[in-house]
Amino acid sequence: MADAPSLSLSFPHPDVALLAFDTPGKGANVLSRATLAELAGQLDVLERHSGLAGVVVCSRKPGVFIAGADLREFAAAGNPTREEVVALAAGGRKLFARLSRLPCVTVAAIDGACLGGGAELAMWCDRRLMTTNPKCQFGLPEVKLGMFPGWGGTVRLPRLVGLGNAVELICGGESIDGKSALAMGLASDVVPSERLEEAALALVRAEQQSQAYLQDRQRWQQPLAVSETELAFLAATAAAYIQGQTKGHYPAPLAALDLMVSSAMLDAEEAGERESAGFAELFGTPVNRALINVFFLQDRNKKDPGVAGEVRPRSVQRVGIIGAGIMGSGIAAAVIKRETPAVVFDVSPAALANGVAKALEEAAYDRSLRGPDPQRLVKLVPRLQAAAREADVAAADLVIEAVVENPQVKQELFARLEPLLGEDAVLASNTSAISISRLAAGLKRPDRFCGLHFFNPVRRMPLVEVIRGVHTSDQTVATAVAFAKALGKSPIVVRDGPGFLVNRLLFPYMNEALELVLEGAPLDTVDRAATEFGMPMGPITLFDVVGLDTALYAGRVMHEAFPDRVVQSPLLAALVERGRLGQKSGAGFFSYARRKDRGEPDPQVAELIETLRRDRREIPPQELQDRLFLPMLLEATRVLAEELVRDARDVDLGLIYGIGFPPFRGGLLFWADTLGPAGILQRLAPYQHLGERFQPTPLLTETARSGGRFYP
Ligand code: NAI
């Protein structure tokens, strides 16, 4: 298998060559070293072939043209020298450039994902054709991995579509479809998939006649046609925008911008050399390594069925949802969006009507219209049924409970519902804190019950925690995992326990923020320490978003479970007592009287803090970050020791997706491994007087002793 070729050359006409990619044994074509070597061999053949009218480059994989360079090879490269990286980049660029010098027109016929190195290869062709297939996407996502295109992408793209468009595509890293590519001049045409080959042949004939591609080849060798003024303007506006988006944590987009601007006046050859040199500056940096790790976390998650061994998930053709509030309506929207019918019930007819309307509106939402798309709405309406009686949801393959967070209400509901369910139906609870094994206590079939913990808002949050109770079966877990994936979510399987995974790790951090406040740190200083670490918002603001009453309640649950290390701040209770529940009530730690989404300092809170304050220290920034993130890290080592998750990487993905832990740090445990267990012990040392919550855990001590790491 390993020796089977990835590339084949055929001749649909005597003077037209078809160069087809088909990496054996893989779902997607990737550009590994072996594939590039094969490409070099095929180019040798084509260069020697006389009388060719055209070469068409295509893929035999459905839905994929070329997904990019082989990142596993990148990751396995170890620590190559700068010269080696420059040579790697320049080698790929020079190889692809041979396509642009063949003695005939070259056409990339793209009918699927055309990304990264694959997009660069396509750009070295004279022409590109794309299809109307929704999977047909062109993109250069390298900046998301802490790099920029290194095989000539920063040279070719500005020459093909103009510098402004190139900056947007390369620095933003988002993909575009055929329609946008056509509008930008990147694609020559967009056709239905089944007409692609025919269109490519027609294009070859047209170019054979006109020879237009030869003039373009001349032009693409030259510097770009932009004035100094245009360049300066673009550089300044794009840099400001990128700075705002990346907050200085992601160097690649700015580096790509600098490169493209400073190379604009050079010819393609010189610009290419600069690109290779610049690429070597980014390759192997900590941010690059961290982001590649995140890519692998996502990739692993996509392939993880959630259970060991061969277990067939049950097919879910129809979903029942009970409770049409915030979560129930969000879940319903996600379900019908993926073309699965859903039946929703709520005890309150008003809540039901409201929830169904909200779910439809959300599922039909169209970004360009900034509202529901009427045509989509018409298609969705028959998929969502409002049930008149509770029993009407029972005919579903999966029933998700999303009623009030009250164990008694939930258990009574299950007792009524269970006898009505089909033999293999799965029952799931969206509870955020109640033990799944406890909820399962009265069930006759606890094996087909699990937690399915979506995050709020469902449409934006990719994470779903699948909670395995003591009796939950493998098939139930596999079904829940497959279902969450069908909704486009990233499920992680967590054993039942207080706070499951994400909230359990979030609490030490949130609580410590309040301790710091009572020791003298201003609220916004605590928040800033977290955002400077890379969190999307600070913990104090997060309290206001989550709701202080919810946080207080969940904090009690955590305190009961882990009294030795979970502190309960008097500040939180005092604010709740005063009716300050966060954004939803217009006031929490901050005031939302003037702007609903942006808190402002409130003198009443300052006064309250004065009365509860234990100290008035100026806390150094390093201590602020240590105090916030080390307790979270220690808790993660306990989670690993208890085998709450099956793999350390689930902790990292869970936190990135669940609370926005900064991807440029690679994940919590990936970050821990970069500090090293000995380094962590050192950082903990000054805080030993704070008690159990800063004590090294047995796993940390043991890992330090053995010189190991947390990652497998
Ligand atoms: P919500 O208050 O918005 O909605 C609950 C709905 O359930 C209400 O419409 C209510 O009328 C209905 N209901 C109550 N008892 C019922 C019964 N016996 N039968 C049918 N319907 C009943 O609450 P939300 O926020 O949607 O929460 C639902 C569940 O999801 C809770 O368990 C909560 O802990 C959990 N959750 C909430 C998150 C959030 O951020 N809001 C996040 C993740 C989970």
Side-chain angles (χ1 to χ4, degrees), residues 321-331 345-352 355 358 390 401-406 408-410 412-413 416 429-434 439 452-458 500 503 545-546 550 553:
I321 297 165
I322 307 194
I326 300 177
M327 297 307 289
S329 66
I331 297 167
F345 174 76
D346 197 294
V347 272
S348 147
L352 182 61
K358 259 182 58 191
E390 185 181 277
E401 167 277 307
V403 307
V404 281
E405 186 75 341
N406 177 324
Q408 197 185 339
V409 174
K410 290 186 195 279
E412 285 170 8
L413 168 68
R416 291 192 300 274
S429 172
N430 186 49
T431 177
S432 33
I434 307 168
L439 286 179
L452 199 55
H453 183 207
F454 286 85
F455 288 69
N456 185 17
V458 177
F500 309 136
N503 286 334
V545 170
V546 168
T550 309
Y553 168 76

Side-chain angles (χ1 to χ4, degrees), residues 555-610:
R556 281 190 190 135
V557 174
M558 298 309 288
H559 178 76
E560 272 168 37
F562 311 111
D564 58 333
R565 58 180 189 271
V566 174
V567 286
Q568 286 183 290
S569 177
L571 182 53
L572 191 57
L575 286 166
V576 172
E577 213 169 276
R578 285 164 178 72
R580 302 185 70 109
L581 306 184
Q583 283 186 357
K584 63 184 170 189
S585 73
F589 281 96
F590 299 110
S591 160
Y592 299 88
R594 288 205 314 165
R595 281 189 58 175
K596 265 175 81 178
D597 56 341
R598 198 188 188 99
E600 292 174 348
D602 189 326
Q604 288 182 23
V605 177
E607 253 171 60
L608 179 65
I609 292 173
E610 271 317 303

Side-chain angles (χ1 to χ4, degrees), residues 238-305:
Y241 178 77
I242 293 170
Q243 189 58 36
Q245 295 284 309
T246 60
K247 311 217 162 44
H249 293 310
Y250 297 84
L254 269 186
L257 174 67
D258 274 354
L259 172 73
M260 284 189 279
V261 168
S262 65
S263 305
M265 301 297 197
L266 304 178
D267 66 35
E269 190 59 35
E270 277 181 279
E273 276 161 35
R274 282 234 195 156
E275 180 194 81
S276 302
F279 181 82
E281 297 295 321
L282 294 173
F283 187 92
T285 54
V287 173
N288 173 225
R289 284 177 198 274
L291 291 174
I292 287 191
N293 185 60
V294 175
F295 175 85
F296 286 134
L297 292 179
Q298 293 163 333
D299 193 52
R300 175 180 169 275
N301 184 266
K302 281 190 197 130
K303 294 171 186 157
D304 178 14

Side-chain angles (χ1 to χ4, degrees), residues 6-206:
S6 291
L7 263 175
S8 62
L9 193 58
S10 60
F11 292 85
H13 294 266
D15 61 347
V16 180
L18 199 64
L19 186 59
F21 281 81
D22 194 356
T23 308
K26 291 213 177 186
N29 294 316
V30 287
L31 297 170
S32 64
R33 241 173 284 198
T35 308
L36 293 178
E38 271 185 62
L39 176 62
Q42 301 289 14
L43 287 170
D44 289 342
V45 174
L46 291 169
E47 281 162 356
R48 284 196 302 267
H49 202 291
S50 58
L52 276 181
V55 173
V56 177
V57 183
C58 66
S59 156
R60 297 264 181 251
K61 299 264 187 242
V64 184
F65 177 70
I66 298 172
D70 187 337
L71 286 177
R72 285 187 199 280
E73 279 187 359
F74 272 40
N79 287 309
T81 63
R82 209 190 104 79
E83 288 68 37
E84 284 167 337
V85 180
V86 172
L88 175 92
R93 171 170 49 86
K94 288 181 179 157
L95 174 67
F96 290 175
R98 289 168 64 187
L99 280 165
S100 72
R101 289 195 303 267
L102 285 176
C104 62
V105 71
T106 47
V107 177
I110 306 164
D111 183 28
C114 175
L115 301 172
E120 291 179 280
L121 186 146
M123 283 192 281
W124 281 104
C125 293
D126 297 307
R127 302 285 182 256
R128 283 145 300 280
L129 286 174
M130 289 176 71
T131 67
T132 47
N133 180 350
K135 290 195 173 150
C136 190
Q137 296 279 328
F138 178 98
L140 293 154
E142 286 86 347
V143 292
K144 296 185 175 174
L145 299 172
M147 300 184 275
F148 51 62
W151 286 336
T154 69
V155 179
R156 287 294 279 194
L157 193 57
R159 283 166 175 75
L160 298 175
V161 301
L163 190 56
N165 285 329
V167 163
E168 199 174 320
L169 274 174
I170 289 178
C171 300
E174 298 299 329
S175 300
I176 53 170
D177 62 8
K179 213 165 95 188
S180 307
L182 182 63
M184 221 179 249
L186 181 64
S188 307
D189 202 357
V190 180
V191 299
S193 300
E194 61 278 9
R195 276 204 39 226
L196 183 60
E197 194 170 322
E198 171 197 329
L201 289 173
L203 186 55
V204 165
R205 293 299 169 216

